[in-house]
Amino acid sequence: MLPHLKADYFSNRAESEIFSIVEDYVGKYGNAPTKEIIDVEFEKRKLTQMDYDHGKEVLAEVNNHYKAPDMKWLMDTTEQFCLQQSVIIAINRSLEIIDGGNETEPLTALPELMRNALNVNFDTEVGHDYLENVEDRYKKLREQTERLTFDIDNLNKIFGGGVPRKTLSLFVGGTGSGKSLIKSHCAAHFYQQGYNVLYVTLELAEERIGERFDANLFDMAIDDIYMMPLEQYKRKLNFVNEKAKGARIFIKEFPPASITTAHLRSLLDELRNKKDFVPDVVVVDYINLMNSSRYKPSQNANSYTILKAVAEELRALAVERNIAIISSTQTTRDGNGASDLSLTNISESMGLGHTADAIIGIIRTEELDQLGQLILKCLKTRFSDKTNFRFLVGVTLGKMKLTNVGEGHGQYVAQPGYTAQQAAPAKPDVPLNNFGKRERRDVSAISG
């Protein structure tokens, strides 16, 4: 029980000192001190007469040979004591923050304080025994991990079959490279598969995100949807919803730089309680526009520290709620329009690269625009051996859609510095797509 106890749990100063003596002795010598040792060490402590007298009374009751009549009862009772004291301490700290007595922690840290306080428990599991737990390990290795599959084949290769739950994945690209388009396309596809989707936008209005979903799911240009009669719009929406097997999409808009992971956690709770909605995937557009629950904007913390904290908090939320979280980040100035990307092109904080489970770079050049295509490059993945894997995807901007490109649904681009014509020669008689460029309409792209 000792690792779970803290000196702060003992409100009386004398009892706190006695506990510290026991804790220090065990840490230094590896066994429990005798009553005589505690007596000697207690005499060295500087205490008021009242605390000293109380401490001597407590020590007078100590029995070197005491044995608990029921060890399980003792552990349960001690666990309840720790939980109760942890909550009291969290409440007192919260009051300090509210009253302005604690300037190092923001108000948004309050939910985290209470959550940590309520998580106190005596976990008897000390780890996985490699030899003794062989059957459990064998079974788990063969269990099929649930993955949310993409409709872009090469993305599934990068993620080992699809994005798993309890993970944080990022797309990285320059300004106007198509980050929001890719996120909305992936979200729409997950919805079509029957997964609940929460789309949190800190950049575009809720209505703009909604029309992107309309264009993708209706397979229509946004301009054409504007001209559609209401009844026809409703029919299309009902048809899409039937295919989605009852899944739902919620879109929530926040002002930039106004929320932390604590706000997202509260939003998830509200959606569950008020709308009976629990998402399978959460899309955040985008991570750089979030704040950390641990650092105030006014604190002297640099962008590396803050964004790394945001990424860690988002990933912790994904694990806690058993969801997949997808977001994006910007490239540095050198990454805008570049024909190749690496992790060093991530702007503001390499901490994002250290924390995310998978990072996909978005490469957009003038030559690719002429073909209505992008190159996606795997900059990091914990799910496969596809790091540095580059491939083409087709883009129809007006419909907010991606398509597979090339034979076998996915053309691999081996080297940077290619020309677009070498990578995928355009046909002379194809119409313009919504990039205002020529659109490839080969059979594989249409079937994809």
Side-chain angles (χ1 to χ4, degrees):
M1 292 180 279
L2 187 62
H4 302 282
L5 290 160
K6 299 178 182 179
D8 292 344
Y9 289 171
F10 301 89
S11 55
N12 182 275
R13 173 72 187 281
E15 295 175 7
S16 178
E17 291 292 340
I18 292 172
F19 171 78
S20 296
I21 291 169
V22 176
E23 185 180 40
D24 293 344
Y25 188 90
V26 172
K28 187 173 183 179
Y29 298 104
N31 55 8
T34 64
K35 176 182 177 180
E36 291 71 25
I37 290 173
I38 299 174
D39 274 326
V40 171
E41 293 297 325
F42 185 75
E43 293 292 337
K44 300 177 184 179
R45 304 291 167 124
K46 295 180 180 180
L47 300 169
T48 65
Q49 188 63 44
M50 183 182 296
D51 288 335
Y52 176 83
D53 292 342
H54 179 71
K56 298 300 284 187
E57 291 176 5
V58 171
L59 290 173
E61 299 175 3
V62 172
N63 186 332
N64 281 330
H65 307 289
Y66 174 78
K67 293 183 179 179
D70 187 335
M71 185 58 71
K72 186 177 186 308
W73 171 87
L74 182 60
M75 290 192 69
D76 289 344
T77 304
T78 307
E79 182 176 4
Q80 287 300 312
F81 166 78
C82 291
L83 177 61
Q84 176 181 319
Q85 297 304 107
S86 177
V87 170
I88 291 173
I89 291 170
I91 291 173
N92 290 334
R93 283 182 62 188
S94 299
L95 291 174
E96 287 182 8
I97 295 172
I98 293 170
D99 293 338
N102 187 336
E103 298 181 355
T104 61
E105 293 179 291
L107 283 171
T108 53
L110 299 186
E112 193 75 21
L113 284 175
M114 293 306 302
R115 188 161 37 254
N116 291 337
L118 293 169
N119 280 339
V120 171
N121 66 87
F122 286 9
D123 188 357
T124 57
E125 293 292 333
V126 293
H128 174 86
D129 189 312
Y130 180 74
L131 296 178
E132 290 189 7
N133 300 128
V134 60
E135 291 187 5
D136 289 341
R137 185 171 66 256
Y138 183 87
K139 180 180 178 182
K140 289 179 180 178
L141 286 173
R142 280 147 185 80
E143 287 179 354
Q144 187 65 36
T145 301
E146 183 183 4
R147 295 176 183 270
L148 285 68
T149 58
F150 300 93
D151 58 344
I152 303 300
D153 299 333
N154 282 326
L155 280 179
N156 288 323
K157 293 178 182 178
I158 290 171
F159 284 88
V163 60
R165 295 176 184 269
K166 301 183 180 182
T167 59
L168 171 65
S169 305
L170 299 176
F171 288 94
V172 55
T175 302
S177 61
K179 298 185 295 295
S180 294
L181 183 152
I182 293 174
K183 293 195 295 286
S184 60
H185 172 88
C186 293
H189 179 69
F190 294 145
Y191 165 71
Q192 286 181 305
Q193 289 182 292
Y195 292 107
N196 286 333
V197 175
L198 172 61
Y199 197 106
V200 178
T201 172
L202 297 102
E203 189 172 38
L204 296 172
E206 294 175 356
E207 297 78 12
R208 300 287 78 79
I209 299 299
E211 70 183 16
R212 288 172 177 233
F213 282 126
D214 288 341
N216 185 288
L217 295 169
F218 295 176
D219 196 24
M220 294 179 62
I222 291 176
D223 290 344
D224 294 335
I225 296 175
Y226 288 156
M227 307 300 294
M228 187 185 301
L230 177 60
E231 291 305 316
Q232 183 183 357
Y233 177 85
K234 288 181 177 179
R235 284 196 300 272
K236 279 191 168 290
L237 197 58
N238 289 335
F239 177 74
V240 166
N241 188 51
E242 288 176 5
K243 291 180 63 178
K245 304 171 185 177
R248 291 188 288 172
I249 298 176
F250 273 83
I251 306 167
K252 177 61 178 175
E253 177 186 359
F254 290 101
S258 65
I259 66 165
T260 67
T261 306
H263 292 92
L264 292 185
R265 188 176 283 106
S266 298
L267 175 61
L268 292 174
D269 291 338
E270 286 192 49
L271 287 170
R272 180 189 61 208
N273 296 332
K274 297 178 180 178
K275 298 292 186 179
D276 192 27
F277 174 83
V278 178
D280 300 290
V281 58
V282 175
V283 178
V284 179
D285 193 5
Y286 59 99
I287 194 169
N288 297 61
L289 296 179
M290 288 186 63
N291 291 324
S292 167
S293 298
R294 289 178 278 172
Y295 298 96
K296 277 185 176 180
S298 58
Q299 285 181 259
N300 293 326
N302 56 33
S303 61
Y304 172 90
T305 302
I306 293 174
L307 281 177
K308 187 174 190 297
V310 172
E312 291 169 347
E313 292 160 13
L314 273 180
R315 193 175 185 282
L317 179 64
V319 173
E320 175 189 326
R321 299 301 177 98
N322 192 34
I323 55 178
I325 296 182
I326 297 175
S327 188
S328 61
T329 186
Q330 297 273 10
T331 62
T332 58
R333 184 183 303 175
D334 293 340
N336 278 315
S339 62
D340 195 24
L341 293 177
S342 68
L343 289 176
T344 58
N345 292 118
I346 297 177
S347 69
E348 296 192 69
S349 177
M350 269 298 293
L352 297 176
H354 300 154
T355 307
D357 296 287
I359 301 178
I360 312 298
I362 305 169
I363 300 171
R364 178 180 178 181
T365 66
E366 291 184 4
E367 291 176 321
L368 288 168
D369 281 358
Q370 294 174 6
L371 303 172
Q373 295 175 344
L374 295 172
I375 285 181
L376 300 184
K377 177 183 178 182
C378 178
L379 307 183
K380 173 187 176 180
T381 178
R382 291 174 173 156
F383 312 115
S384 69
D385 60 354
K386 295 296 184 181
T387 300
N388 294 322
F389 180 56
R390 299 158 52 92
F391 59 94
L392 289 166
V393 291
V395 182
T396 306
L397 184 60
K399 296 181 179 180
M400 294 293 156
K401 291 183 78 74
L402 303 178
T403 53
N404 290 290
V405 170
E407 295 182 4
H409 281 178
Q411 181 167 339
Y412 174 60
V413 182
Q415 298 292 336
Y418 63 93
T419 65
Q421 286 74 19
Q422 291 171 337
K427 299 179 181 180
D429 56 346
V430 296
L432 296 180
N433 69 3
N434 285 287
F435 265 127
K437 309 298 181 181
R438 299 214 173 269
E439 178 182 10
R440 287 179 51 75
R441 300 181 68 84
D442 53 294
V443 174
S444 62
I446 293 172
S447 65

